[in-house]
Amino acid sequence: MKFRLFAGVSALVVTAGLSACSSSSDASDGSTAIDVWLMRDSVSDQFQKDFVKSFEAAHPDIRVKVQIQEWDGIGEKVTAALASTDAPDVIETGNTQVAQFAQSGGLLDLSDKVGELGGKDWLKGLAEPGAFEGKQYGIPYYAANRVVIYRTDLFEKAGVDPAAIKTRDQWTAATKKLNTGGTQGIYLPGQNWYTLAGFVWDEGGDLATESGGKWKGSLDTLEAVRGMEFYKKLQALGRGPKDSDEANPPQADVMAKGKVAQVVSSPGGANTVVENNPALKDKLGFFPIPGKTADTPGAVFTGGSDLVIPTASAKQDAAYTFVKELTGDTWQKKLAVAMSYVPNKTTLSDAVASDPGASAMAVGAAEGHATPNTPGWAAVEAKNPIKDYLTAVLTGGDAQKEAAKASEAITTAMNSGT
């Protein structure tokens, strides 16, 4: 799933004259022309130009034509493209969308390429959802995840050292100190279900589990309920609404009003806060979401993208060369610096060491997870009983009973199409 995280990212230039779904003819000079679909705001205009120029210089027999796609409605568009005889050669897709597309048989199995692409070091939150039924279809492209954005001045005033916050207990203790007067120690909306998922994973639970080809919601396990109990404890240390998510109202807007010490967000949220309140420039910092113990950061949902190659592509060798280069170490480091993304390999985290927000993300990314790897998960997110579960518990409902209801709804949704 793509995080729409970063404010101020330039849009890419759409190559003129490309149809909505078509493979380019080979160029008149005898080179192979490949069509590539990238998503809106995934990289900057300058990064795209630099990469394509370098790639074509290194591979003079390949010409690249990039076409920009919008996230809204992309699932249906990719599905149609994969079923056609005129598909693009490379497609960027949200990491949790790969299973949906692989199920149709429209994606090239790249399992035999994992070794040469350095797959042993891939972030599991990108690699695992890029696989389906034991085969690797999606190649990790970039990642992004949530961190804690905090007010440096409020922390200093309260005598709280953010560098000393390594565990959940330390986090809640610090948040209690910050939750004084008119200041909210943390603004955590009641329906921020991705944050809940991290706490569930920390406890050893999951959103759903699979057995015998059938999926079953698992929010009612003891581990998952413990994650909910921590969410409730943390959420109470602020005045976040219990019946809406981080977009309603936008939590960056709330923080910009000056009375919030912390939010859980992507680092890009800090840009929006400052845009809304320039007085907060240089007063925002970042640290990874704390874990249960000091030696392991909190689990996070890994958002981001994978690159896939359609089976309908007539130029799969050239397409693979493109994918290999863009996901290789050299360009992954450049991408991380240019976009404040987390590189696709754990071994490349040093590339963002000088970027406070991205380096905090990279720490958390090592404990990254994805939503259940099945096409049926899309139906869960469409109805999202997890949000209803959160609100029910935060407004006084019994966590175990409400978790059982939510798990039943998840089970029904995930198996509705099977």
Side-chain angles (χ1 to χ4, degrees):
M1 178 174 290
K2 171 67 169 66
F3 267 80
R4 302 182 190 203
L5 298 175
F6 301 93
V9 177
S10 299
L12 294 170
V13 174
V14 180
T15 302
L18 291 180
S19 65
C21 178
S22 65
S23 292
S24 298
S25 302
D26 288 343
S28 58
D29 61 1
S31 62
T32 298
I34 60 172
D35 280 342
V36 176
W37 283 10
L38 295 182
M39 300 308 301
R40 176 73 63 192
D41 294 342
S42 66
V43 295
S44 67
D45 180 25
Q46 189 60 53
F47 181 88
Q48 180 209 337
K49 290 178 179 177
D50 290 346
F51 175 76
V52 171
K53 181 179 180 180
S54 175
F55 178 84
E56 291 185 342
H59 305 280
D61 57 331
I62 302 175
R63 291 289 177 266
V64 178
K65 294 187 177 181
V66 175
Q67 188 176 6
I68 305 310
Q69 304 298 320
E70 303 294 339
W71 284 102
D72 290 340
I74 190 60
E76 294 82 359
K77 190 169 185 177
V78 171
T79 298
L82 297 179
S84 75
T85 58
D86 197 22
D89 304 294
V90 177
I91 301 175
E92 175 191 346
T93 179
N95 57 331
T96 61
Q97 295 176 321
V98 176
Q100 172 188 349
F101 302 139
Q103 184 185 45
S104 69
L107 299 184
L108 183 67
D109 178 8
L110 296 169
S111 302
D112 62 338
K113 304 296 186 181
V114 171
E116 68 182 70
L117 293 175
K120 65 182 178 60
D121 297 318
W122 282 340
L123 297 177
K124 63 181 182 179
L126 292 180
E128 290 178 358
F132 182 65
E133 295 184 341
K135 297 180 180 180
Q136 193 73 37
Y137 296 95
I139 304 304
Y141 179 21
Y142 64 84
N145 50 264
R146 289 164 176 80
V147 300
V148 180
I149 301 176
Y150 72 95
R151 283 278 301 276
T152 57
D153 54 334
L154 295 179
F155 269 57
E156 183 176 357
K157 182 179 179 180
V160 175
D161 179 7
I165 301 176
K166 301 296 184 183
T167 68
R168 282 186 185 176
D169 289 343
Q170 292 167 342
W171 191 20
T172 52
T175 303
K176 287 178 181 177
K177 292 183 67 175
L178 291 156
N179 193 33
T180 59
T183 299
Q184 299 184 57
I186 187 168
Y187 178 81
L188 181 60
Q191 295 185 346
N192 192 332
W193 70 277
Y194 285 123
T195 297
L196 169 67
F199 301 154
V200 169
W201 291 322
D202 277 341
E203 296 289 349
D206 211 334
L207 305 176
T209 56
E210 186 268 340
S211 179
K214 292 290 185 179
W215 285 86
K216 181 179 184 296
S218 56
L219 287 175
D220 54 341
T221 64
L222 293 177
E223 294 84 358
V225 171
R226 286 201 300 267
M228 178 68 237
E229 290 171 346
F230 179 74
Y231 188 101
K232 183 177 180 179
K233 179 180 179 181
L234 186 64
Q235 200 271 341
L237 298 176
R239 298 189 295 277
K242 295 177 171 58
D243 59 352
S244 62
D245 61 20
E246 61 271 29
N248 300 290
Q251 65 178 3
D253 293 355
V254 178
M255 192 176 198
K257 294 178 180 178
K259 297 296 184 179
V260 170
Q262 304 172 89
V263 294
V264 177
S265 172
S266 69
N271 296 335
T272 305
V273 173
V274 173
E275 286 174 2
N276 289 335
N277 185 355
L280 295 182
K281 184 179 180 181
D282 301 324
K283 293 183 179 179
L284 299 177
F286 313 88
F287 59 85
I289 295 174
K292 291 187 69 177
T293 60
D295 58 340
T296 305
V300 293
F301 167 73
T302 302
S305 289
D306 285 6
L307 297 178
V308 299
I309 299 174
T311 54
S313 167
K315 302 161 186 176
Q316 293 175 355
D317 289 344
Y320 174 70
T321 300
F322 178 92
V323 170
K324 182 178 181 180
E325 189 119 343
L326 187 53
T327 62
D329 290 5
T330 297
W331 283 98
Q332 279 293 301
K333 291 177 182 178
K334 293 179 180 180
L335 179 64
V337 172
M339 304 301 298
S340 294
Y341 286 155
V342 178
N344 63 2
K345 298 186 182 75
T346 57
T347 50
L348 301 178
S349 59
D350 285 350
V352 292
S354 62
D355 183 321
S359 59
M361 275 201 302
V363 172
E367 294 298 318
H369 293 250
T371 50
N373 189 17
T374 169
W377 186 253
V380 177
E381 291 200 23
K383 298 180 179 179
N384 217 324
I386 306 174
K387 289 186 174 184
D388 297 334
Y389 163 55
L390 279 157
T391 295
V393 175
L394 294 176
T395 54
D398 180 81
Q400 189 67 56
K401 292 180 180 179
E402 296 298 337
K405 293 178 185 177
S407 294
E408 183 177 355
I410 290 172
T411 300
T412 299
M414 294 187 81
N415 294 294
S416 60
T418 60

